[in-house]
Amino acid sequence: MLKRYSSYAFSLLLLGGISLVGCESTTSPKPVAQNPEQITIIKSPNDDRQYSALLLPNGLQVVLVSDPSLENSAASIAVGVGSAHNPKEQLGLAHYLEHMLFLGTEKFPEPDGFMKYTQANGGMTNAFTAYDKTNYLFQINAGKFDEALDRFSDYFKKPTFDPHFSDKERNAVNNEWSLQKAQDGWNLFALQGFTANPENPSAKFNIGNLDTLQDKPGSVLQDELKAFYDRYYSANIMKLTLVGKQSLPELKALAEKHFSSIPNKNVTLPEVTVPGLTKAQMGKSIHYKPIKDLKVLYVDFPVKSNKQQWRLKPNEYVRNLITSEEKGTLGEQLRSKGLVKMVTAYIDAEGYGPDGFLRVQAELTDAGLKQQDEILAAIFSYIDLIKRDGLNPNYYRELQAMRTKDFANASKAEPLDQAVELTTLQFDLPIENLLNADYVYERYDAKAISDVLAQLDERNARVWYVSPGEKADTPVPFFDGKYSIRDITAEEFTRWDSLAAKHHFNLPPLNDLFTDT
């Protein structure tokens, strides 16, 4: 299964259903200097689960979660490579490998045997390929966890990659693509890459189909599959999480028993360094004619990754001001005028690897569809107001206090969901902050916030017009939608500037509890 790298629910994002903030992190992923077993993982006072971590001799970092009340145990392991690392001769190879991996090992040769085993014991198994990671996961009745881990771990030691099943799995990948290519969410997601820097991996087709995954002159699919696995599937760029009713010592013993023998090939974690949005891709008007009745307007501002600043939360600070529904704010005024149903924003600052975008998105009414210049002008005007007057430590203190309260009341996640999340977060966060990173607001940093705001330049914006009436005649590569793209004209900028001058917004009122006296 191929997952979109910026969201596991992009279709909801299209409708403003959820908002994402690009992961920010204070420290780049580095070899663990401190013994993980000596690190205390900070948890909510509301969380009665027990947590610990360890580093296996082969370099595999593991997080353990014990909860005696659970009936099922769950596991997730991820390798730090994904669709961004597909060889150009075999587009979709990382996704295809994900499918082929579960077709037997030397010790457990039955194809799909692990799927049958988990289903027979009250569980399930799955996997997904994202932009820079591939995640394998399962859950099962707690009493069967030991044997399940024996079977599961063997896929990362001696998979057979039986070529007799190549056509079957090529067709499975092709079927996924066939379903996705007629969905607006996937079309728009693909366009984010296809309209980006051609040198960035996101500009390539990453799902795979029968045409891209086949033997070609100078590229044999089975050989490429094995070479990719041999090159990247190494314990030192993998992360593992075990969640179960077993005690922490029991979980540790299971991790050591089953995963210590995964080979460590001393691979350097690959990173995407080519920017996704250069000056050549900025200042664009992108028109997409949806397959279904969809009326939305996006304004994307290119931003650089600031994941080193995760403790400071400048992205969340800016997003919170943009999305406020208080009287006089952008969303409140546009809704009161009947132009939008909702205005939301999210930041995916690593959408392309070293960079990404802040997106303001408006779900349009029929009236708003006819006044998109007004809406664009309002968005630019409101962001200019935030740039001028939005730096205030009291806004930060309010967020800080709310998130502290949220963490104190945080509920426990479902075992499998927690396993997947903790595995993913291990690549970017210190072990002690895996549970509380979203709630950490270390200090107000005006410069960090100003650095984000400085990148919200309307001259660099990428404006997305999505409605049935758009003039779009270029097929989205590999997909069913149609689009067109052009430079935003000087006349358009002038018109928006003129309209923006007529807008008068208010920033959200400050809470008296956080106002300086």
Side-chain angles (χ1 to χ4, degrees), residues 266-280:
N266 293 308
V267 174
T268 299
L269 184 69
E271 292 186 61
V272 177
T273 57
V274 177
L277 297 175
T278 69
K279 199 66 181 177

Side-chain angles (χ1 to χ4, degrees), residues 22 35 47 105 133 158 163 167 171 215 260 273 276 281 299 302 313 347 424 433 444:
N35 181 355
D47 187 351
T105 69
K133 299 174 186 68
K158 293 186 177 181
D167 285 345
N171 275 289
D215 292 346
S260 292
T273 57
Q281 289 82 45
V299 181
K313 298 293 190 293
I347 301 181
T424 302
N433 298 117
Y444 173 74

